[in-house]
Amino acid sequence: MREKILTHSAELFLTYGFKSVTMDDIANNLGISKKTIYQHFDNKTKLVEATTLHMFDVISHGIDCICELKKNPIEELYDIKNFVMEHLKNEKSSPQYQLQKYYPKIFSTLKSKQFEVMQTCVTANLERGVKDGLYRNNIHIDFIARLYFNGMVSLKDQDLFPLTHFSMNVLLENYLEYHLRGICTDKGNQILNKIINQTKNQ
């Protein structure tokens, strides 16, 4: 039952936001009583915390699986972006922004965990890209990996990028191209152009 509550809560939080969804909404959606939810989670804050960590684990595992395929590093970044978008429902309700605003401690914990995963993943991606001749061999890998993470976090700042002006998909597409244009060799740019053209024609 605990797993079921987490899955349904994640679905509701991603669709309507952490602030908007109540314990009643979750109970009604599951067709159970609030009492059943409280048997597993003391309060909404505990449920939000467990749900965000559950979503983090699911997405981290998916990213690990993509990285294990050892595709070329540029394709890998686009596959990760598509996977994340699929699981975060285009973030219409800006859940990460709401999490930061209403549950700052949970947000801070999540951000640290995201940094650990992304730092490892992006560093490996950059190293492989340099080795394969797709990224310039004079890039500062640790600096770019940290910059990339910081940029990803900034995209979720509703004051900077209101969803009324930008969809999360458009933001990620533009940011990924911006990141890659700065580090790609001619060989890398050829692959990047091909992927961008394929995306436009889909």
Side-chain angles (χ1 to χ4, degrees):
M1 179 53 77
R2 189 176 191 277
E3 192 73 18
K4 198 174 175 184
I5 293 168
L6 287 174
T7 304
H8 280 259
S9 298
E11 186 84 12
L12 288 171
F13 287 143
L14 287 173
T15 306
Y16 302 107
F18 287 105
K19 177 84 167 74
S20 314
V21 176
T22 64
M23 297 295 256
D24 282 316
D25 293 329
I26 295 164
N28 292 337
N29 184 268
L30 277 161
I32 59 174
S33 68
K34 270 201 298 186
K35 189 180 171 188
T36 305
I37 298 176
Y38 286 123
Q39 283 171 355
H40 297 274
F41 306 98
D42 293 343
N43 49 50
K44 186 181 171 183
T45 301
K46 290 286 185 192
L47 176 58
V48 167
E49 183 177 31
T51 305
T52 54
L53 293 175
H54 170 73
M55 288 190 285
F56 170 80
D57 288 341
V58 168
I59 291 170
S60 295
H61 175 69
I63 290 173
D64 286 343
C65 291
I66 291 168
C67 292
E68 279 169 19
L69 296 174
K70 292 282 185 272
K71 288 188 176 182
N72 87 58
I74 298 170
E75 271 186 74
E76 182 178 272
L77 287 180
Y78 274 90
D79 284 353
I80 289 170
K81 179 205 74 105
N82 292 334
F83 171 79
V84 171
M85 287 307 304
E86 205 178 289
H87 278 75
L88 294 184
K89 297 172 152 291
N90 202 20
E91 295 208 342
K92 292 186 187 76
S93 62
S94 59
Q96 191 127 336
Y97 183 71
Q98 287 196 14
L99 195 66
Q100 184 175 9
K101 192 172 180 183
Y102 300 107
Y103 299 95
K105 280 188 179 176
I106 298 171
F107 173 80
S108 181
T109 302
L110 182 65
K111 187 179 170 185
S112 297
K113 289 174 86 67
Q114 286 173 333
F115 177 71
E116 283 171 31
V117 167
M118 273 191 71
Q119 192 71 355
T120 304
C121 172
V122 176
T123 299
N125 181 280
L126 290 167
E127 286 170 347
R128 211 149 45 82
V130 170
K131 185 168 165 268
D132 295 349
L134 301 179
Y135 303 156
R136 290 184 289 106
N137 61 11
N138 61 344
I139 60 173
H140 191 307
I141 287 175
D142 187 45
F143 170 74
I144 290 171
R146 289 167 188 273
L147 197 65
Y148 184 75
F149 175 77
N150 195 52
M152 291 293 274
V153 172
S154 298
L155 291 184
K156 290 163 185 171
D157 186 331
Q158 286 276 280
D159 297 323
L160 277 176
F161 300 105
L163 288 177
T164 48
H165 287 69
F166 308 94
S167 75
M168 188 49 71
N169 196 48
V170 166
L171 284 174
L172 284 174
E173 284 282 344
N174 283 300
Y175 182 62
L176 202 44
E177 183 179 357
Y178 174 79
H179 165 70
L180 288 165
R181 291 286 182 212
I183 61 174
C184 275
T185 58
D186 289 342
K187 183 182 171 185
N189 272 318
Q190 285 174 11
I191 293 170
L192 177 58
N193 290 337
K194 192 176 172 187
I195 291 172
I196 289 170
N197 289 331
Q198 283 172 346
T199 306
K200 281 177 184 170
N201 294 327
Q202 280 174 0

